[in-house]
Amino acid sequence: DLAVELAIAPSALPLVADYLLDGVSAPGLDGLLHATMRVSHLHVVKRLACGLPGLVTVTAPPEARKLVADWAADGAHRYDDSP
């Protein structure tokens, strides 16, 4: 298993609370909650970000952030060219 750190919008907490380890921090200055989730594979994190766009941000580890960022860039790139 891999530990992944997340920044979570308070409105998304009920959707992910059962999967978080050791509870959730109080909202920071950014208004987001911070927590750790254990996943079996980093692609789980990509699916989480896809399912909760703008509500969950992967903050660590770097390889998990890169995987999600690459996925988002690939999706955005599809809209760069006119049909």
Side-chain angles (χ1 to χ4, degrees), residues 5-32:
E5 295 177 27
L6 306 171
I8 307 161
S11 62
L13 183 60
L15 302 173
V16 298
D18 288 344
Y19 305 101
L20 302 178
L21 299 175
D22 302 327
V24 178
S25 71
L29 295 176
D30 56 5
L32 300 175

Side-chain angles (χ1 to χ4, degrees), residues 48-56 71:
L48 177 68
C50 173
L52 298 170
L55 298 175
V56 173
W71 168 80

Side-chain angles (χ1 to χ4, degrees), residues 22-78:
D22 302 327
V24 178
S25 71
L29 295 176
D30 56 5
L32 300 175
L33 306 167
H34 296 271
T36 302
M37 174 184 272
R38 190 161 301 279
V39 296
S40 59
H41 194 278
L42 287 180
H43 289 283
V44 172
V45 178
K46 183 171 66 171
R47 289 183 183 172
L48 177 68
C50 173
L52 298 170
L55 298 175
V56 173
T57 301
V58 178
T59 58
E63 59 271 20
R65 284 185 57 83
K66 182 176 181 343
L67 181 72
V68 174
D70 289 349
W71 168 80
D74 288 345
H77 178 70
R78 294 178 187 266

